[in-house]
Amino acid sequence: MFKVNIGKKILSANEEHARKNSSFLAEQKKLCLNMISSPGSGKTTILARTITELKDKIKIGVIEGDIKTDIDAERIRATKAPAVQVNTDGACHLSAVQVSRALESLPVEDLNLIFIENVGNLVCPSSFELGENGKVVVLSVAEGDDKPAKYPGIFAKSKVLLVNKIDLLGAGVQVDFDIERVKADVRKLNKDIEIFKISAKTGEGFTGWCDWLVKSVKALG
Amino acid sequence: MFKVNIGKKILSANEEHARKNSSFLAEQKKLCLNMISSPGSGKTTILARTITELKDKIKIGVIEGDIKTDIDAERIRATKAPAVQVNTDGACHLSAVQVSRALESLPVEDLNLIFIENVGNLVCPSSFELGENGKVVVLSVAEGDDKPAKYPGIFAKSKVLLVNKIDLLGAGVQVDFDIERVKADVRKLNKDIEIFKISAKTGEGFTGWCDWLVKSVKALG
């Protein structure tokens, strides 16, 4: 009882900031996507390639969430896109107020799309709305095909599932990953989710994902 | 201030239960290891192979922590070892009181070693002591070599680092993983940590890890 009430207060303070972010982004007509996954599923590599592939079509900025270091923001800046690093100093997810402050440091007016790369964690970030238009969950094939069944929350809430590192499948090593099992388990949780199979290393599958982004940016007008 | 105080209360209630578990395990002279990693780094596969390789030397039981499903406990039971599944229903880590209850369901007197497989999460479980003798952190090479720098907490606190899925290195696919960088970053955080490179799929490197377990069990008398 005690823990639940406190949890509710923290969540509702966060939701208030999330609503402010959401209103600001809607006024500015900017698409904002919150990218969530386990550590090491390839979020930053996906973003770097997405920015490069779309550089003549849409302008992308990134808010990078990490417990420590600015390794990821540096990797994004290497693509010439603007990036703001937020260090949570131990916290397991980004909060809406951290995103509010980060948005003030980005040249939002020059951008079409803002990605928030959340702290690597398949559990906690799914409970904290940041004011985004949608969540993108990333699952690397190296993590195994049982993850939607075992961590259903984020798969139920996401607009897009990116199945990454498909270059590891059937490449001389044995990776046990049944994509049909993943699709079936995810569809049970979320029938409308878009699923793209990609390799951020080779670029395979990026056409579908990038077309979806361009279409979603245009839909905002 | 508000959040910090509440956090302290939750942590101190947990620590009380952790101390009880620790006393119980010390009286019984049982080794207990708390295994922590990202989702999909291979914890359950490591445990299943460890149990099989050590079946004539030490008796192992497992407490399986997951948000949902009993997939992992079933995989352990397939090796004939006793396993208790704890479902956290959304919580991102196991708590000491959950471990107390699970210990009551295990035939502790018949065992030498109890593994606790925590919820797949590289952040939150490192803050909650369960009464264990030590933590074992698992990092899969597919997750990348920047994880100790980005998620230092668990690497600083662990007795052992298992670098898993080394079969993916140099096997016809390109996995960017510099083991020397990992070792250097981890040693900066924790100079006494034991590091074993393993493949739970092929069994490579298991001799060193299993010898360490046998030695640690014997050290308890």
Side-chain angles (χ1 to χ4, degrees), chain A residues 109-120:
Chain A
E109 60 282 7
D110 302 334
L111 303 172
N112 308 108
L113 166 59
I114 295 148
F115 274 109
I116 303 167
E117 183 182 335
N118 223 307
V119 177

Side-chain angles (χ1 to χ4, degrees), chain A residues 15 24 31 50 83 85 97 100 104 123 149 160 188 202 204 219:
Chain A
E15 272 166 30
F24 169 73
L31 184 67
T50 302
Q85 182 76 50
V97 69
S100 300
E104 288 170 15
V123 187
V160 175
K188 262 184 261 173
T202 67
E204 193 178 344

Side-chain angles (χ1 to χ4, degrees), chain B residues 29 216-221:
Chain B
K29 296 191 176 176
S216 303
V217 165
K218 283 190 181 157
L220 285 183

Side-chain angles (χ1 to χ4, degrees), chain B residues 4-65:
Chain B
V4 171
N5 285 346
I6 297 302
K8 276 188 184 163
K9 278 190 192 175
I10 293 170
L11 280 172
S12 101
N14 186 73
E15 272 166 29
E16 204 181 302
H17 283 289
R19 275 194 297 273
K20 281 184 202 164
N21 294 346
S22 175
S23 303
F24 169 73
L25 292 161
E27 276 165 28
Q28 301 273 327
K29 296 191 176 176
K30 307 300 180 186
L31 184 67
C32 180
L33 297 171
N34 180 4
M35 193 173 257
I36 295 175
S37 78
S38 305
S41 69
K43 293 185 293 304
T44 317
T45 310
I46 291 169
L47 290 179
R49 185 177 276 271
T50 302
I51 291 164
T52 305
E53 299 228 350
L54 287 174
K55 70 178 189 300
D56 298 327
K57 292 184 179 165
I58 52 180
K59 295 293 170 205
I60 299 175
V62 180
I63 297 170
E64 280 292 343

Side-chain angles (χ1 to χ4, degrees), chain A:
Chain A
M1 181 76 173
F2 172 77
K3 278 177 70 178
V4 171
N5 285 345
I6 298 302
K8 275 188 185 163
K9 277 189 191 175
I10 293 170
L11 280 171
S12 101
N14 186 73
E15 272 166 30
E16 204 180 302
H17 282 288
R19 274 193 297 273
K20 282 185 201 163
N21 293 346
S22 175
S23 302
F24 169 73
L25 291 161
E27 275 166 27
Q28 301 273 329
K29 295 189 179 179
K30 307 299 179 186
L31 184 67
C32 179
L33 297 172
N34 180 5
M35 194 172 256
I36 296 175
S37 78
S38 304
S41 68
K43 293 184 292 303
T44 317
T45 311
I46 291 169
L47 289 178
R49 185 178 276 271
T50 302
I51 290 164
T52 305
E53 299 228 350
L54 287 174
K55 70 178 191 299
D56 298 326
K57 291 184 179 166
I58 53 180
K59 296 292 170 206
I60 300 176
V62 180
I63 297 171
E64 279 291 344
D66 276 300
I67 290 177
K68 293 265 183 207
T69 81
D70 61 352
I71 295 172
D72 286 355
E74 286 302 318
R75 289 176 61 195
I76 297 299
R77 287 183 198 121
T79 68
K80 313 286 182 206
V84 179
Q85 182 76 50
V86 180
N87 279 149
T88 65
D89 276 323
C92 51
H93 62 88
L94 284 173
S95 66
V97 69
Q98 289 170 324
V99 170
S100 300
R101 286 188 209 121
L103 284 169
E104 288 170 15
S105 305
L106 275 181
V108 172
E109 60 282 7
D110 302 334
L111 303 172
N112 308 108
L113 166 59
I114 295 148
F115 274 109
I116 303 167
E117 183 182 335
N118 223 307
V119 177
N121 182 329
L122 208 50
V123 187
C124 315
S126 74
S127 302
F128 289 82
E129 297 296 319
L130 303 177
E132 73 270 14
N133 299 88
K135 293 176 177 60
V136 175
V137 58
V138 182
L139 176 67
S140 140
V141 300
E143 293 170 53
D145 51 22
D146 57 355
K147 295 304 163 293
K150 289 170 66 183
Y151 301 84
I154 182 58
F155 293 91
K157 285 183 181 174
S158 292
K159 259 201 171 115
V160 175
L161 163 61
L162 297 179
V163 178
N164 191 29
K165 307 197 188 180
I166 59 168
D167 55 293
L168 291 179
L169 296 176
V173 292
Q174 194 203 343
V175 174
D176 303 321
F177 188 88
D178 179 351
I179 181 76
E180 295 309 322
R181 177 187 174 183
V182 168
K183 282 184 180 173
D185 284 355
V186 170
R187 296 269 186 232
K188 262 184 261 173
L189 296 162
N190 182 341
K191 69 180 175 47
D192 297 322
I193 196 167
E194 298 271 357
I195 302 176
F196 299 104
K197 293 184 288 178
I198 62 169
S199 164
K201 179 157 287 179
T202 67
E204 193 178 344
F206 264 63
T207 308
W209 158 239
C210 288
D211 286 352
W212 183 87
L213 288 172
V214 171
K215 192 185 72 181
S216 302
V217 164
K218 283 189 181 156
L220 284 183

